[in-house]
Amino acid sequence: MRSLLLVTLLDLLSVVAQAQRTDTLRFHSTAFGTEREVVVHTPEFHRYASAQVRMPVILLLDGQHDWFTAPLLNDIRFLQYTHEVPQAIVVSVPHANRVKECATDSITQPGMPLLDMLVTELPPLLKPYNPSDLTLLVGHSFTASFALYAYVARPGAFDAVVALSPLHQVERSLPLVSERLTQQPNERVLLAVGGAEKIKDGGHYELLLQAVKSSVPERAKGRLTLREYPSAGHTSLPIIAFPELLSTYFAPF
């Protein structure tokens, strides 16, 4: 029976994977002054949809790491199959130097090349895919901190952020995130952190919890969510936390 179930599950995942379409878009980025690329993943339904059908966009930072994007892409596909998240256009965004591209000097600095690329250069590239106005930005660790900065720096560009164990300048970004959320009732920020032990996510755990406790007023709670995953280490957190956070965000849809 176990063998039969395993074979059935593998067959299902194979069918789902084959149904996806993947396009690698290479372009000259004015923001970076060099050639960049993004990878666009569309579900099978996309090829049959009319131009009036518009799908949300999920942006996955850290697209250069297969260990990060592959599990998240599989989570999205499976949750679509079980109808817990809608059909979506998923864009993996690789980094040439993730720290240099994502580390802000100040949470209030006016712009960064990566942010300009995401907000200004990427939308025209995605226009042929008929995206909707809903955009969700996903990051982990350094890119999670960048995602919080991006949410504050470009109001209206991102409807939701999934920030998995952010740390860099989080004590400065969260007050601004909370302030924006009190003004935008339809937007959401979902945070996750792993276990408190040093061998888990201890380096981020205390600072993130303290930042949330001191920075998030009652009126912002519900739109800013922090969930703890005691069994998760820093690197395993995306695999453990992402499917729950994604299905939580899309539950009302």
Side-chain angles (χ1 to χ4, degrees):
M1 178 60 73
R2 288 183 179 179
S3 298
L4 178 60
L5 289 175
L6 178 59
V7 170
T8 302
L9 179 58
L10 291 176
D11 287 343
L12 171 61
L13 293 177
S14 176
V15 169
V16 171
Q18 292 173 10
Q20 307 297 310
R21 173 181 169 182
T22 301
D23 297 331
T24 299
L25 307 182
R26 295 181 176 87
F27 61 99
H28 177 80
S29 169
T30 302
F32 282 104
T34 187
E35 185 178 82
R36 300 291 295 220
E37 70 176 39
V38 296
V39 183
V40 181
H41 311 265
T42 54
E44 180 185 19
F45 175 75
H46 188 272
R47 74 179 72 178
Y48 305 114
S50 70
Q52 285 70 42
V53 176
R54 300 187 178 274
M55 299 181 184
V57 176
I58 301 174
L59 302 178
L60 302 181
L61 301 176
D62 274 320
Q64 76 284 4
H65 290 319
D66 286 343
W67 64 262
F68 176 73
T69 56
L72 270 57
L73 286 168
N74 284 333
D75 287 336
I76 294 168
R77 292 168 184 167
F78 203 88
L79 290 172
Q80 287 172 340
Y81 180 80
T82 58
H83 305 292
E84 294 188 51
V85 306
Q87 303 293 311
I89 301 163
V90 184
V91 183
S92 302
V93 182
H95 306 289
N97 184 326
R98 73 190 295 262
V99 174
K100 183 178 179 180
E101 292 175 14
C102 297
T104 55
D105 296 324
S106 167
I107 194 62
T108 58
Q109 69 186 76
M112 295 178 69
L114 178 59
L115 181 57
D116 292 339
M117 188 189 84
L118 294 177
V119 174
T120 304
E121 299 175 353
L122 185 57
L125 295 174
L126 297 182
K127 191 173 181 179
Y129 297 91
N130 294 323
S132 74
D133 294 331
L134 181 65
T135 302
L136 188 151
L137 183 62
V138 182
H140 172 243
S141 196
F142 244 113
T143 61
S145 299
F146 171 84
L148 295 176
Y149 156 77
Y151 174 72
V152 172
R154 294 296 176 90
F158 308 103
D159 300 277
V161 168
V162 174
L164 303 161
S165 196
L167 180 66
H168 182 64
Q169 299 208 21
V170 71
E171 71 281 5
R172 297 182 179 89
S173 64
L174 282 184
L176 299 177
V177 168
S178 299
E179 181 180 348
R180 173 157 179 81
L181 286 172
T182 61
Q183 302 167 2
Q184 301 295 329
N186 294 324
E187 296 180 355
R188 292 285 304 275
V189 171
L190 300 100
L191 307 173
V193 68
E197 297 91 340
K198 186 175 181 180
I199 61 171
K200 294 292 186 180
D201 204 11
H204 293 217
Y205 181 89
E206 290 295 340
L207 182 59
L208 183 55
L209 262 66
Q210 181 58 39
V212 170
K213 182 178 179 180
S214 61
S215 304
V216 182
E218 286 296 326
R219 63 184 183 277
K221 291 179 180 178
R223 291 187 289 277
L224 188 149
T225 302
L226 171 63
R227 294 193 178 171
E228 302 175 42
Y229 297 85
S231 65
H234 185 68
T235 306
S236 65
L237 181 66
I239 300 171
I240 296 173
F242 179 71
E244 181 182 358
L245 295 182
L246 190 68
S247 58
T248 296
Y249 172 68
F250 279 114
F253 287 83

